[in-house]
């Protein structure tokens, strides 16, 4: 709910700080005193269009700050979290300069005006004669009807069926597109596959061939080095003979040394083995070099072929085996594609049928809820002097292009203000005063169905009095049992219902300033007496105010 409203330099308001409470709060005052300025200021803080005319003459800027007390699970906190904004409190602020530029803040963090407006719509709903949001927006009617009818299970079923259907359609269309593309490229696909079949690439083959090519290119130098090494080790067998002689000399006295020569003997044995292995390795390398000597041309041709095909397909040579397998799979899919496509199409058709069933069940629930809503709203109309009016919930099936996760219906609230007159949208059929009362009747019935925590009614009692005004006050009070209600009113019957009462007045001095004062019981009595009698407050008017306050608050 709205807890505080701070206004600085907005039109006739120089400095104003208001504190609000739950229940019904009334704002009264003479026409032109500045009540609309308060609503303009609140709207500004909630993201309404900024206007240079809102800045008080001579001021550097206009500033409006609104604070709210919200439940921890209020949807607006999830919205703040999505934007990485602090959510430990809820304070919105708007600053407007004389050139019409504005800045927006949420919890002291700068934000776009669009985000501020989105947050504002979740916090406060303003019902005025020319408002185009909330109940006046037909786009909101389907959600309000679903909330009224408690359609959450049916909505969840429709949403699941919708997502399954669209997923099945996407799978079919994607596969069909791939098959069409494959058919267009079938000749190229077969040629590429035949080339890879012939090449038969292996992972790591390029590295092996590159190493072998390097060896063959340097064959003469390598052979020369191998021959020199072999000659050095094998010349007259002197190295092996020297190691053997050393071993035999030490072995003759080893037993006399108590293990002192064990390590040297072990080293000599290893040296003998390593020498034999080195000699064998040199001989094997020489033999391999001799054997591969004539392969240089073949190796280079194979290496260049691998690299050339890889370049053609835009991959690394080691990726050719995977590409080979993928092309084969595409060709196999193409050859058996019709069967797969038929299967996917059948799955999509079955999913569509399940969605239609879920949407139809939701439509049936909406029709039933619509009839209950029509009856409930109609019951509210007669006390509001709208007994000749008729309200209906119109539910139409949308074309398939309009189907969605919330079903296949268009929902609109319509009214006819006179018997026999056609029904039509609220905004086009009802006059200003009628429209405000229709909004009140709807809000009373839909008070638990998706409303913001704070509702503002701007002169909902315009053009009425007596019993009708009393009925309006009674319904506002009933609505205020579930949500916070602020009402700008000229009706004493409505004002008498309020839990808190503010008086708006102009103070004329060197400049004209609008003041707002919260009324104590005695001042409230005087204000209601003024509303009853006019400029001259009589004892009879005071007595009538006492009677009205006593009756309305009994």
């Amino acid at each position: 709910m709205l807890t505080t409203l701070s206004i600085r330099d907005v039109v006739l308001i120089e400095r104003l700080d208001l504190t609000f409470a739950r229940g019904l709060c009334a704002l009264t005052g003479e026409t032109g005193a500045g009540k609309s300025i308060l609503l303009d200021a609140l709207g500004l803080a909630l993201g309404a269009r900024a206007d240079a005319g809102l800045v008080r003459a001579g001021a550097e800027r206009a500033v409006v700050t609104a604070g709210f007390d919200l439940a921890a699970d209020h949807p607006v906190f999830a919205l703040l979290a999505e934007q990485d904004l602090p959510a430990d409190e809820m304070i919105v602020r708007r600053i407007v300069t004389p050139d019409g530029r504005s800045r927006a803040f949420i919890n002291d963090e700068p934000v776009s005006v669009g985000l501020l407006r989105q947050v504002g719509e979740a916090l406060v709903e303003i019902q005025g004669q020319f408002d185009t949001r909330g109940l006046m927006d037909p786009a909101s009617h389907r959600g309000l009807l679903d909330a009224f009818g408690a359609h959450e299970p049916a909505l969840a079923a429709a949403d699941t069926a919708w997502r399954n259907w669209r997923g099945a359609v996407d799978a079919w269309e994607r596969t069909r597109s791939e098959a069409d593309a494959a058919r267009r490229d079938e000749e190229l696909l077969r040629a590429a596959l035949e080339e890879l079949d012939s090449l038969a690439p292996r992972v790591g083959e390029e590295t092996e061939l590159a190493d072998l090519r390097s060896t063959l290119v340097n064959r003469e130098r390598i052979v020369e080095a191998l021959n020199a090494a072999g000659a050095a080790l094998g010349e007259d067998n002197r190295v092996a003979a020297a190691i053997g002689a050393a071993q035999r000399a030490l072995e003759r006295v080893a037993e006399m040394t108590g293990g002192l020569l064990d390590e040297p003997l072990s080293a000599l044995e290893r040296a003998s083995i390593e020498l034999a292995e080195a000699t064998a390795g040199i001989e094997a390398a020489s033999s391999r070099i001799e054997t591969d000597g004539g392969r240089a041309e073949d190796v280079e041709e194979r290496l260049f072929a691998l690299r050339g095909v890889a370049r053609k397909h835009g991959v690394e040579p080691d990726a050719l085996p995977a590409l080979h397998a993928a092309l084969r799979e595409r060709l196999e899919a193409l050859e058996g594609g019709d069967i797969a496509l038929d299967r996917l199409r059948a799955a999509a058709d079955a999913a569509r049928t399940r969605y239609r069933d879920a949407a139809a069940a939701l439509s049936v629930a909406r029709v039933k809820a619509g009839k209950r809503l029509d009856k409930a709203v109609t019951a509210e109309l007669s006390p509001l002097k709208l007994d000749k009016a008729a309200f209906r919930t119109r539910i139409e099936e949308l074309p398939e292009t309009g189907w969605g996760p919330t079903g296949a219906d268009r929902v609109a609230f319509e009214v006819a203000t006179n018997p026999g007159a056609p029904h039509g949208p609220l905004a086009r059929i009802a006059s200003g005063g009628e429209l405000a009362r229709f909004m009140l009747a709807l809000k009373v019935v839909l008070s638990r169905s998706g409303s913001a925590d704070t509702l503002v009614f701007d002169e909902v009692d315009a053009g009425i009095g007596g019993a009708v005004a009393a009925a309006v006050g009674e319904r506002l009070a009933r609505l205020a049992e579930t949500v916070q209600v602020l009402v700008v009113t000229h009706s004493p019957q409505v004002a008498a219902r309020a839990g808190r009462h503010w008086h708006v007045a102009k103070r004329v001095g060197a400049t004209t300033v609008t003041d707002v004062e919260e009324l104590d019981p005695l001042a409230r009595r005087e204000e209601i007496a003024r509303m009853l009698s006019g400029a001259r407050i009589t004892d009879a008017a005071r007595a009538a105010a006492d009677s009205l306050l006593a009756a309305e608050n009994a």
Side-chain angles (χ1 to χ4, degrees):
M1 71 168 187
L2 176 67
T3 56
T4 60
L5 181 63
S6 172
I7 304 173
R8 300 289 185 270
D9 296 319
V10 175
V11 193
L12 298 180
I13 299 175
E14 184 176 6
R15 184 183 184 90
L16 183 62
D17 294 291
L18 299 178
T19 301
F20 297 91
R22 294 188 181 279
L24 179 59
C25 307
L27 292 164
T28 65
E30 296 283 359
T31 299
K35 299 184 294 299
S36 62
I37 299 175
L38 285 173
L39 296 189
D40 288 342
L42 177 59
L44 189 66
L46 299 172
R49 182 177 177 274
D51 190 320
L54 292 172
V55 182
R56 189 173 64 87
E60 294 182 357
R61 61 181 185 173
V63 183
V64 185
T65 305
F68 295 84
D69 181 17
L70 305 176
D73 60 349
H74 195 286
V76 79
F77 288 125
L79 181 59
L80 296 187
E82 291 175 4
Q83 302 296 325
D84 293 326
L85 291 171
D88 53 337
E89 58 183 348
M90 178 46 59
I91 298 174
V92 295
R93 179 178 294 112
R94 189 82 172 277
I95 299 174
V96 182
T97 54
D99 61 3
R101 296 182 181 180
S102 75
R103 289 180 292 158
F105 300 85
I106 296 177
N107 294 335
D108 291 325
E109 293 287 338
V111 298
S112 69
V113 174
L115 177 60
L116 180 66
R117 185 181 304 114
Q118 189 177 358
V119 169
E121 290 175 355
L123 296 173
V124 179
E125 188 172 323
I126 300 177
Q127 296 294 339
Q129 294 184 16
F130 306 104
D131 189 41
T132 58
R133 296 178 298 174
L135 287 171
M136 293 294 290
D137 181 7
S140 70
H141 294 176
R142 183 170 58 191
L144 289 168
L145 178 64
D146 287 334
F148 174 78
H151 295 155
E152 288 82 2
L155 280 167
D159 179 72
T160 298
W162 165 263
R163 288 186 285 107
N164 290 341
W165 174 35
R166 298 320 306 170
V169 170
D170 288 346
W172 170 65
E173 290 180 344
R174 185 173 58 253
T175 303
R176 184 182 61 178
S177 177
E178 291 173 353
D180 289 344
R183 288 189 182 94
R184 289 193 300 269
D185 300 334
E186 182 176 2
E187 185 176 342
L188 293 175
L189 181 63
R190 289 188 182 279
L193 187 60
E194 288 175 4
E195 182 179 43
L196 286 169
D197 283 342
S198 175
L199 189 63
R202 293 182 294 103
V203 175
E205 185 178 5
E206 187 215 16
T207 300
E208 295 175 7
L209 291 172
D211 291 343
L212 181 55
R213 177 173 175 269
S214 176
T215 299
L216 295 175
V217 167
N218 296 287
R219 177 177 175 278
E220 291 185 4
R221 293 180 59 190
I222 295 171
V223 168
E224 183 180 341
L226 289 172
N227 290 339
L233 292 177
E235 187 176 352
D236 299 330
N237 206 23
R238 283 183 294 179
V239 176
I243 293 173
Q247 281 181 298
R248 288 191 296 275
L250 294 179
E251 286 172 351
R252 284 196 292 268
V253 297
E255 293 181 358
M256 307 174 190
T257 63
L260 183 63
L261 298 179
D262 288 351
E263 186 174 343
L265 282 169
S266 179
L268 287 169
E269 184 176 357
R270 290 197 302 274
S272 177
I273 294 171
E274 294 290 343
L275 177 62
E277 290 180 354
T279 302
I282 290 170
E283 292 174 354
S286 297
S287 177
R288 175 68 181 274
I289 289 291
E290 291 295 334
T291 302
D292 291 338
R295 293 185 56 208
E297 187 175 337
D298 294 339
V299 168
E300 189 157 299
E301 183 178 339
R302 174 70 177 178
L303 180 61
F304 288 169
L306 281 172
R307 289 175 174 174
V309 173
R311 266 195 312 275
K312 181 192 299 184
H313 292 284
V315 299
E316 294 296 322
D318 277 351
L320 287 175
L323 175 66
H324 190 190
L327 292 179
R328 183 179 292 111
E329 288 177 5
R330 283 183 61 187
L331 192 59
E332 290 172 353
L334 179 61
E335 293 169 348
D338 289 342
I339 297 174
L341 275 175
D342 289 345
R343 185 170 61 250
L344 289 172
R345 180 57 187 267
D349 289 343
R352 182 184 184 277
T353 299
R354 288 190 293 272
Y355 170 75
R356 289 294 293 136
D357 291 343
L362 182 56
S363 295
V364 170
R366 283 172 173 158
V367 170
K368 292 180 179 178
K371 291 178 179 178
R372 289 192 290 112
L373 178 62
D374 296 350
K375 184 177 180 181
V377 173
T378 299
E380 296 290 336
L381 296 181
S382 182
L384 296 175
K385 204 177 178 180
L386 293 169
D387 48 301
K388 294 181 180 180
F391 173 88
R392 76 175 184 186
T393 303
R394 182 164 59 89
I395 301 172
E396 297 180 326
E397 183 177 359
L398 292 165
E400 186 165 342
T401 54
W403 296 357
T406 56
D409 301 313
R410 178 186 290 112
V411 177
F413 300 151
E414 296 183 338
V415 298
T417 54
N418 295 296
H423 286 75
L426 292 169
R428 292 214 307 263
I429 299 299
S431 65
E434 291 172 332
L435 184 58
R437 279 175 279 149
F438 267 116
M439 293 298 100
L440 177 58
L442 274 166
K443 272 299 175 188
V444 169
V445 175
L446 298 171
S447 61
R448 299 182 184 275
S449 305
S451 291
D453 292 339
T454 299
L455 302 180
V456 179
F457 287 90
D458 184 11
E459 300 190 6
V460 66
D461 50 8
I464 61 172
V468 179
V472 169
E474 187 274 330
R475 278 152 181 78
L476 287 170
R478 195 196 318 164
L479 188 58
E481 293 175 0
T482 55
V483 294
Q484 182 188 45
V485 178
L486 276 64
V487 58
V488 175
T489 181
H490 289 286
S491 169
Q493 292 91 339
V494 173
R497 283 278 187 176
R500 299 182 73 174
H501 188 161
W502 286 269
H503 180 248
V504 184
K506 282 183 181 178
R507 175 167 47 85
V508 180
T511 59
T512 301
V513 177
T514 291
D515 288 329
V516 180
E517 176 189 8
E518 185 172 4
L519 302 180
D520 60 25
L522 183 59
R524 186 180 182 200
R525 175 202 186 210
E526 288 294 295
E527 170 63 6
I528 292 177
R530 179 198 65 76
M531 297 170 74
L532 286 164
S533 64
R536 182 173 176 272
I537 303 175
T538 65
D539 289 340
R542 291 187 178 94
D546 288 336
S547 176
L548 191 58
L549 285 165
E552 300 293 1
N553 294 288

